Amino acid sequence: MAVDEIVSSAHALEPQIIAWRRDFHAHPELGFQEFRTAKVVAQALSEMGLEVVTGIAKTGVMAIIGEGSPVVAIRGDMDALPILEANQVEYASQTPGKMHACGHDSHTAMLLGVARILTSMPNRPAGQIRLLFQPCEETVDEEHKSGAQRMVEEGAMVGVDRVIALHVASDVPAGKIVANGGPLTAAVDDFNARIIGRGCHGAHPNDGIDPIFLAAQVLNALQGVRSRRLNPIHPAVLTVGTIHGGTARNVIPDDVTISGTLRSYDPGIREQLRVEVERALGVARALGGDFEVEFILGCPSVINDNHVAATIQSAVRDIAGADALLAQEPSMGGEDYSYMTNSAPGAMFMLGAKLDEISRPHHNPLFDIDESVFKTGAAVLAETACRLLTQLA
Ligand SMILES: [Zn+2]
Ligand SMILES: [Zn+2]
């Protein structure tokens, strides 16, 4: 059976996958600066006899295994974060202030493992497996574009029938896998607003329009958006993260600035959130002031395709046993993989990789993961890709 081949091949590759991950971990690079990482990836893929496309989405790498159709894409992200690593391990970051604190080093390493498994497989199903090594998942460039967005714009998903990916989870027990259909991560939009009044002496508020008072009313109105304006069935978050105004105790300032983030799953709710934020800011106008607002649209929500998620689950059951599957609620965090799942039906699974009893959250200086799960992650990706090809044939 092909699944046994894939599992034993993944086991044999375990030391290599760990070595790749430690190399990437020791040499972290921020979004769209993954020059060394891309070079190592391209080199490894070339050594497997694959034709490699580099420079897609600036620092992305793409390779194709097999030919024709159907086409299944597998995505791995390569970027690190601007964090000073606190772990004292032999593979710790050699660049102070940069760290693979989200596990993307392991995603890249496992995807290279998948490439090795699939290229050395004698009876691979017919069709194409496209490996997408994506830059810059964590942030955006000066044009507000992230790595997946640029990969899609530059044609990486053209002709792709299905797409899969994984993300390690440092808080999920090692070896457990979450592969639900439906929402996985939220759409992420931000806003910057200015509440405009008219400054005057604090002793004579009637001479001006107090923007601090206006802001207080606006905050109330914003808090009412979730509870009074949105369909309670659909999850959404509206958080005001900053508020700034004023310079002295006895001076009423000209304006107050606020900024916040909007999270949602449903595209309709996503749009409505922006309308409601504007409406809430309109309270400032009703009270004699004014406002300006700009929205910064981020990535959409990752909605796992039910059928692709079920295929991942079936692969997990055969590779790691039914006990490995864990149900977990979706997150209001963001993941730019959504640009790919918006281009073709796809899913992402979470690979539990909790290392020890120390709390090691993602984006934390103590982040680290259990490397013994990599072989399972690589095997599930490879097996799922093969199953999808067979289903689509
Ligand atoms: Zn992250
Ligand atoms: Zn991540």
Side-chain angles (χ1 to χ4, degrees):
M1 221 171 112
V3 61
D4 298 326
E5 269 174 45
I6 284 177
V7 168
S8 60
S9 168
H11 272 258
L13 275 170
E14 182 177 31
Q16 174 68 72
I17 298 174
I18 292 173
W20 275 321
R21 183 261 171 165
R22 291 185 173 201
D23 178 56
F24 297 135
H25 194 88
H27 302 97
E29 295 173 299
L30 301 182
F32 291 126
Q33 296 168 24
E34 304 90 337
F35 302 108
R36 180 189 180 276
T37 309
K39 213 171 138 187
V40 172
V41 166
Q43 173 87 31
L45 295 169
S46 302
E47 281 164 14
M48 296 173 208
L50 293 171
E51 217 167 286
V52 183
V53 178
T54 56
I56 181 167
K58 301 182 188 178
T59 44
V61 181
M62 197 167 84
I64 291 165
I65 302 173
E67 55 190 6
S69 59
V71 182
V72 172
I74 314 178
R75 174 270 206 171
D77 42 7
M78 306 190 289
D79 57 325
L81 287 154
I83 292 175
L84 178 65
E85 175 149 23
N87 295 309
Q88 306 209 326
V89 287
E90 59 181 281
Y91 52 89
S93 168
Q94 293 175 14
T95 311
K98 294 181 191 172
M99 176 189 178
H100 269 291
C102 200
H104 300 182
D105 50 348
S106 74
H107 303 167
T108 306
M110 283 185 264
L111 190 50
L112 283 177
V114 170
R116 278 277 287 273
I117 294 169
L118 294 173
T119 47
S120 56
M121 209 172 140
N123 49 355
R124 201 177 51 235
Q128 216 186 100
I129 291 165
R130 204 176 291 177
L131 308 172
L132 307 178
F133 293 86
Q134 174 210 309
C136 198
E137 189 282 326
E138 297 283 5
T139 183
V140 291
D141 59 18
E142 60 291 342
E143 288 174 357
H144 285 298
K145 288 184 179 175
S146 72
Q149 193 175 5
R150 287 203 176 274
M151 293 283 285
V152 171
E153 281 181 8
E154 293 181 27
M157 290 292 293
V158 172
V160 170
D161 296 294
R162 298 288 183 273
V163 60
I164 54 172
L166 63 70
H167 204 302
V168 289
S170 65
D171 54 346
V172 173
K176 295 288 183 191
I177 288 171
V178 183
N180 304 328
L184 181 75
T185 62
V188 179
D189 299 324
D190 294 328
F191 68 91
N192 295 317
R194 190 160 82 93
I195 295 161
I196 304 164
R198 200 173 63 242
C200 61
H201 197 296
H204 308 288
N206 51 303
D207 287 344
I209 303 220
D210 182 356
I212 291 182
F213 167 70
L214 299 183
Q217 316 311 312
V218 167
L219 288 184
N220 260 328
L222 286 171
Q223 290 307 316
V225 169
R226 168 66 278 186
S227 74
R228 302 294 84 180
R229 299 295 306 156
L230 302 180
N231 183 339
I233 300 301
H234 293 294
V237 179
L238 190 172
T239 289
V240 175
T242 71
I243 175 161
H244 295 287
T247 51
R249 280 191 291 270
N250 60 352
V251 175
I252 289 173
D254 273 328
D255 61 6
V256 167
T257 56
I258 64 173
S259 70
T261 189
L262 311 170
R263 309 291 171 106
S264 59
Y265 296 137
D266 179 82
I269 293 285
R270 183 182 187 188
E271 229 181 286
Q272 195 194 345
L273 268 169
R274 299 200 294 275
V275 173
E276 300 294 350
V277 165
E278 279 212 59
R279 202 201 298 270
L281 284 161
V283 169
R285 280 186 189 153
L287 297 174
D290 204 353
F291 73 89
E292 291 167 352
V293 64
E294 82 171 318
F295 293 98
I296 301 129
L297 300 191
C299 59
S301 168
V302 174
I303 310 286
N304 275 350
D305 177 81
N306 283 325
H307 187 80
V308 176
T311 307
I312 295 172
Q313 288 175 20
S314 77
V316 171
R317 276 192 289 272
D318 291 345
I319 289 166
D323 289 348
L325 285 168
L326 196 71
Q328 203 186 48
E329 286 170 345
S331 149
M332 295 312 281
E335 184 27 279
D336 83 335
Y337 175 58
S338 52
Y339 290 105
M340 295 179 178
T341 52
N342 275 5
S343 307
M348 166 181 276
F349 65 91
M350 309 304 289
L351 177 63
K354 187 169 170 51
L355 180 61
D356 49 27
E357 287 319 303
I358 297 169
S359 170
R360 301 178 183 279
H362 289 249
H363 296 208
N364 180 285
L366 285 173
F367 176 86
D368 202 1
I369 44 178
D370 186 340
E371 295 175 319
S372 71
V373 306
F374 296 169
K375 56 185 180 302
T376 309
V380 171
L381 284 176
E383 177 64 20
T384 304
C386 290
R387 287 185 189 195
L388 289 170
L389 283 182
T390 309
Q391 287 168 12
L392 291 161

